[in-house]
Amino acid sequence: MSRTDSAAPEQTGAEALVSSLENVGAEVVFGIPGGAILPAYDPLFESTVRHILVRHEQGAGHAAEGYAVATGKVGVCMATSGPGATNLVTPIADAYMDSVPIVAITGQVAAPSIGTDAFQEADIRGITMPITKHSFLVTHPDEIAGAIASAFHIASTGRPGPVLVDITKDALQARGSFAWPPKIDLPGYHPVTKPHAKQVREAARLISASRRPVLYVGGGVIKGRAWGELKELAELTGIPVVTTLMARGVFPDSHPQNMGMPGMHGTVAAVGALQRADLLIALGTRFDDRVTGKLSSFAPEAKVIHADIDPAEISKNRTADVPIVGDSKEVIGELVSLLKSDDHPLPEIGAWIKSLYDLKKRYPTSFDLPDDGTLSPQHVIKRIGEMTGPDAYYASGVGQHQMWAAHFLPWELPGRWLNSGGLGTMGYCVPAAMGAKVGRPDSVVWGIDGDGCFQMTNQELVTCALEGIPVKIAVINNQSLGMVRQWQTLFYEGRYSNTDLKTNRVPDFPKLAEAMGCVGLRAEHPNDVDAVIDKALSINDAPVVVEFVVHKDAMIWPMVAAGASNDDIKIARDMAPSWAQEDL
């Protein structure tokens, strides 16, 4: 694209923006109009690109994330300058932490007014620079097509992530030549996807020599769509697998080699496997502090093969013995080829596998039903999964219900799980579920939310009702900020400072749902659970909100206290595995 291309047709910048979105194949934009972005909404009115009018810009950003995770495509959100743009900051940061490809388009005050503290002026490019993969400030209509094409390319290639395109109002209003770039070639941006052959050979050598290896699998394997190669590698070698919070479903939970989720609320088998491994084969994962616990005591005897498409992640938290930069599909595929050859014998790990299977059997992730007749939140979530099945898409908020969902929903298929893993954003669930349902209209989409999270962004259910987006939201109402309350119980002697939401009094969640155009249901007794889930599943022409009034003091176990060693994992209050009896 060139500013001097005289053969290119003339368009306003606003028309060029909409033409660019059509050219790049965008199907939907989640947004709200306002002064600076208003010119774009006129041509958008007649575009093939669907615009969904949300109730808050944060909802637009999380909906774009949900759409992107559920479809594998780039999600798009749009807002005006100033507060409209700053309301996108949280979902942009969320997408950055979880490597979700979205393009955020914001209006900016006219170029001559930048820096004058004009009405609704905010330096959104500067504000979001640390939390975007790249950002553009566009001040001329001729630059819009190139910026949009580049933004989609950057967001979806290499390590996916959010890209901001900030366009001044005068650029949207002025006329210029529109020319769609025939190819994208960005100086300095050439993501490495093919791994170095020598490094992969060295990784295969370490795998062959190992006796206690573990496949430590992160969200990068889902982003790389490498679940087929992962299954082939795991079954070829027999190596046990742990899947992080972001990777749930990439390897079936029902597979005997799956030890579950590691980390602060991981399974005993997954945590024990990592702690006693002699080799970690870390694929598309970043040694997050929620997984490692006290880093200096994490997997103390293990050598590390660390493969990631982002070289910045290699050895960032744990030094890699064999660093591999590359796409997970390529890396795992080449490992499989090498380990099938005579040059690299398969590891002898029979005793290791047997000990982990035994550990998994003796310390299953389970829960007790309350003895006072109230609902168990774990049972509710488990029944939603059992009655809906693994084909559905499940979004969650952040907190106890997120961890219960990670443990008790049926994780058999990749890409079905949407949650805020890195940033831990309360309020993610409802708009993310909305975005997922827009992307997957023929699939059931459940949101598993807490009463605290739900009250942050539930207004997007109005959007769902008006736009024909029939999501199903389960509000796990324990009348408190449950995860914080659990920490206050365990570490602050039960001093419940400002965690009681009093949601036993207000709001009335079913009535709130009905006021927003949804169907509202409630379950308060164990005998109600299956009936309301069945009712919710039978409604496909409107959003449904089901309030489950659950026991207030249910806790999420296992747990490793923040900053503690994974060796100090607890399976219940004051109860720990007897590691001295383990022969791993």
Side-chain angles (χ1 to χ4, degrees):
M1 200 232 8
S2 166
R3 278 193 182 192
T4 59
D5 187 349
S6 57
E10 274 216 340
Q11 291 187 344
T12 66
E15 291 167 342
L17 171 60
V18 174
S19 295
S20 299
L21 290 172
E22 292 170 347
N23 273 22
V24 83
E27 298 170 322
V28 61
V29 173
F30 301 91
I32 304 180
I37 196 67
L38 188 55
Y41 274 78
D42 193 61
L44 190 59
F45 195 47
E46 297 177 340
S47 171
T48 57
V49 179
R50 181 185 181 187
H51 180 271
I52 293 179
L53 178 61
V54 299
R55 265 46 188 175
H56 191 283
E57 290 86 353
Q58 183 182 354
H62 291 316
E65 286 189 275
Y67 173 87
V69 173
T71 64
K73 303 174 184 176
V74 176
V76 187
C77 53
M78 187 182 289
T80 194
S81 61
T86 57
N87 282 341
L88 286 177
V89 169
T90 295
I92 289 173
D94 194 274
Y96 186 75
M97 291 287 276
D98 287 345
S99 305
V100 180
I102 66 169
V103 170
I105 300 168
T106 50
Q108 182 56 276
V109 300
S113 298
I114 290 178
T116 68
D117 292 337
F119 177 66
Q120 290 193 331
E121 181 188 0
D123 178 12
I124 192 61
R125 190 182 182 215
I127 291 168
T128 60
M129 195 163 285
I131 54 170
T132 50
K133 192 173 173 187
H134 194 68
S135 57
F136 296 86
L137 173 61
V138 182
T139 60
H140 194 284
D142 290 3
E143 299 168 349
I144 290 174
I148 294 295
S150 300
F152 274 73
H153 176 68
I154 294 169
S156 59
T157 53
R159 180 178 183 171
V163 178
L164 175 83
V165 183
D166 194 30
I167 310 174
T168 60
K169 186 170 184 178
D170 54 336
L172 290 169
Q173 293 172 316
R175 298 190 71 82
S177 57
F178 177 82
W180 187 247
K183 67 174 185 177
I184 304 297
D185 184 15
L186 301 171
Y189 181 71
H190 302 289
V192 174
T193 58
K194 187 168 180 55
H196 196 290
K198 180 182 176 184
Q199 296 300 91
V200 181
R201 284 198 301 273
E202 180 59 14
R205 188 189 69 77
L206 284 187
I207 292 172
S208 293
S210 66
R211 293 297 175 265
R212 301 192 305 280
V214 175
L215 286 161
Y216 164 27
V217 180
V221 179
I222 289 182
K223 298 290 190 300
R225 308 182 73 79
W227 44 81
E229 288 78 4
L230 172 66
K231 191 162 186 264
E232 187 175 7
L233 175 63
E235 292 184 341
L236 172 69
T237 60
I239 296 174
V241 179
V242 302
T243 53
T244 67
L245 179 66
M246 299 307 296
R248 303 294 287 138
V250 73
F251 191 72
D253 267 10
S254 60
H255 198 291
Q257 286 172 241
N258 194 334
M259 296 295 117
M261 181 175 74
M264 176 175 278
H265 294 294
T267 66
V268 173
V271 171
L274 290 176
Q275 286 302 99
R276 281 145 187 83
D278 68 355
L279 177 66
L280 300 185
I281 306 148
L283 304 169
T285 190
R286 59 189 179 90
F287 292 83
D288 176 75
D289 64 289
R290 282 295 192 264
V291 168
T292 66
K294 185 180 179 181
L295 188 58
S296 60
S297 67
F298 176 67
E301 300 173 11
K303 290 187 175 181
V304 173
I305 299 166
H306 191 178
D308 200 285
I309 199 165
D310 184 355
E313 288 297 341
I314 306 290
S315 297
K316 184 175 76 177
N317 294 326
R318 172 70 178 260
T319 301
D321 298 278
V322 179
I324 304 174
V325 177
D327 178 77
S328 57
K329 199 175 187 73
E330 297 255 7
V331 173
I332 301 172
E334 291 197 16
L335 277 174
V336 168
S337 295
L338 288 173
L339 289 165
K340 282 182 175 176
S341 72
D342 294 335
D343 294 337
H344 297 89
L346 298 177
E348 297 175 7
I349 58 174
W352 171 238
I353 284 289
K354 182 175 181 300
S355 66
L356 290 180
Y357 282 6
D358 182 58
L359 193 66
K360 183 178 175 181
K361 184 178 178 182
R362 284 190 291 115
Y363 296 104
T365 303
S366 60
F367 56 89
D368 296 323
L369 296 174
D371 54 14
D372 60 358
T374 56
L375 289 184
S376 154
Q378 300 97 321
H379 173 71
V380 167
I381 293 169
K382 189 167 184 285
R383 287 301 294 153
I384 289 173
E386 289 172 344
M387 294 178 67
T388 309
D391 286 335
Y393 290 78
Y394 298 93
S396 87
V398 168
Q400 289 177 310
H401 59 282
Q402 177 190 23
M403 295 299 121
W404 288 320
H407 280 302
F408 297 114
L409 288 175
W411 301 123
E412 298 295 314
L413 298 170
R416 267 38 178 203
W417 171 228
L418 301 87
N419 84 126
S420 174
L423 196 63
T425 306
M426 293 178 67
Y428 171 89
C429 176
V430 171
M434 176 174 70
K437 185 65 178 176
V438 170
R440 297 291 184 188
D442 297 328
S443 297
V444 175
V445 176
W446 272 102
I448 310 294
D449 218 356
D451 49 322
C453 290
F454 182 76
Q455 291 185 80
M456 293 188 175
T457 53
N458 66 76
Q459 73 274 14
E460 296 308 339
L461 285 168
V462 174
T463 309
C464 291
L466 294 175
E467 292 279 350
I469 307 169
V471 296
K472 306 179 195 305
I473 306 296
V475 179
I476 308 299
N477 182 7
N478 61 1
Q479 304 165 35
S480 64
L481 297 168
M483 186 66 91
V484 184
R485 181 181 171 88
Q486 176 168 335
W487 284 44
Q488 289 173 330
T489 300
L490 297 175
F491 309 122
Y492 291 87
E493 301 174 343
R495 290 165 54 81
Y496 299 116
S497 173
N498 291 283
T499 47
D500 186 352
L501 292 170
K502 297 181 172 59
T503 39
N504 57 324
R505 293 165 51 193
V506 289
D508 182 318
F509 287 110
K511 286 184 178 178
L512 177 61
E514 289 168 7
M516 292 189 287
C518 308
V519 176
L521 303 170
R522 175 185 286 134
E524 298 182 80
H525 305 288
N527 291 339
D528 300 338
V529 172
D530 283 13
V532 295
I533 296 173
D534 191 53
K535 178 68 174 175
L537 289 172
S538 72
I539 299 170
N540 295 307
D541 57 355
V544 182
V545 176
V546 188
E547 178 193 15
F548 294 95
V549 182
V550 303
H551 193 279
K552 194 169 187 174
D553 283 313
M555 291 195 185
I556 173 69
W557 300 105
M559 180 177 181
V560 178
S565 168
N566 282 346
D567 289 326
D568 296 326
I569 187 173
K570 298 289 191 296
I571 54 175
R573 192 169 188 176
D574 301 324
M575 292 179 64
S578 178
W579 295 117
Q581 297 177 11
E582 306 302 334
D583 182 21
L584 299 177

